Amino acid sequence: MALLLSVTIATSMTGVEATSTTDVAYKPDMSNGADNFYKSNKVNKKKVSFENQYNMKVAGNLYIPKGLNRNTKKSAIIVGHPMGAVKEQSANLYAQKMAEKGFVTLSLDLSFWGESEGQPRNAVSPDIYAEDFSAAVDFLGTRPFVDRDRIGVLGICGSGSFAISAAKIDPRLKAIATVSMYDMGAANRNGLKHSQTLEQRKKILEDAAEQRYVEFTGGKTKYTSGAVHELNENSTAIEREFYDFYRTSRGEYTPKGSSPELTTHPTLTSNVKFMNFYPFEDIETISPRPMLFITGENAHSREFSEDAYKLASEPKELYIVPNAGHVDLYDKTDLIPFDKLEAFFTDNLK
């Protein structure tokens, strides 16, 4: 609780949404049709935890189709949540829907977030995030009802880039799908559509470096980025899109030990580690394992899926969902192409 008493929130949206200098023409339909907190009556849920190679507990929800024959080994899918979110936001929905289609699924909280371990809370560590996906393979691959040679991964938003980072060095991930992917490295270095200048990037690095002195000497922790807490006449369409998910009953979720003021916000001093994160470097080495990039026609993040698709080697597919924005694909079940995901994982986890 001491952490919660020494907190300030930076008002800038450093390296993420607010780096765009122009608003997008797309006007999101907000909560209409959203079902983030979906509860399936066709699957069994079990809370689980396992350690990564840093001896940190990673928490997750294991979903098993009802009536599963425990004498046969099933294919499995790991589902990662958006950056700054937790498994209760989008990941659980996807995991349940895919479990309904016959897969064993595991939604996880990345280290430093949700119910997973890691101090300080809300810290950024792309390497450890990728390790969490490999640790999830360790866990699933040692379940008697899972075929360790048929494990795939599905990363939503920032987890798309973390899943790719993991897949580059972990060949046990046999099929890789991303939805509304953010390249968290490029987003922080360049901003959306390369709207951030080198001078702006250097100023962010300078501010974070100076903040390290403040926190090293006992000063308040500073946070950045994430979803805004209120809207006004100057709020951008992207800010409104994230606000509708993270700050309303549609998707708001505060993990135990945190507070609404902290949710979605990484620490300023650790967020700059994304500047050194290049998930698409060597992405072609994942081949011949298949990759599927799903993005919305109107998504402000569409550039990242398109970049990854261009750089990846075959087999690969870019699937664009008509009339969908970035956050739409978090929880709008009438837009999310679950049948496409089912076909992809069924075909490639044979």
Side-chain angles (χ1 to χ4, degrees), residues 298-313:
N298 303 310
H300 67 263
S301 58
R302 178 172 167 173
E303 61 180 293
F304 302 124
S305 294
E306 292 176 336
D307 288 347
Y309 175 75
K310 291 175 185 176
L311 293 169
S313 294

Side-chain angles (χ1 to χ4, degrees), residues 157-158 161 181-189 277-280 304 307:
C157 187
S161 59
M181 177 168 56
Y182 250 83
D183 175 347
M184 295 306 302
N188 280 271
R189 284 188 298 273
F277 182 47
Y278 293 84
F280 299 166
F304 302 124
D307 288 347

Side-chain angles (χ1 to χ4, degrees), residues 260-302:
E261 289 72 30
L262 290 183
T263 57
T264 78
H265 298 291
T267 63
L268 174 63
T269 56
S270 71
N271 197 63
V272 295
K273 290 179 172 58
F274 278 137
M275 300 280 190
N276 279 340
F277 182 47
Y278 293 84
F280 299 166
E281 188 74 24
D282 294 332
I283 191 174
E284 72 277 5
T285 63
I286 293 175
S287 176
R289 288 172 289 154
M291 304 190 73
L292 170 64
F293 308 101
I294 296 175
T295 186
E297 177 185 16
N298 303 310
H300 67 263
S301 58
R302 178 172 167 173

Side-chain angles (χ1 to χ4, degrees), residues 73-93:
K73 291 183 178 290
K74 303 290 289 185
S75 53
I77 303 169
I78 302 159
V79 183
H81 57 73
M83 176 59 204
V86 290
K87 62 184 180 300
E88 287 78 10
Q89 292 164 314
S90 192
N92 281 352
L93 168 63

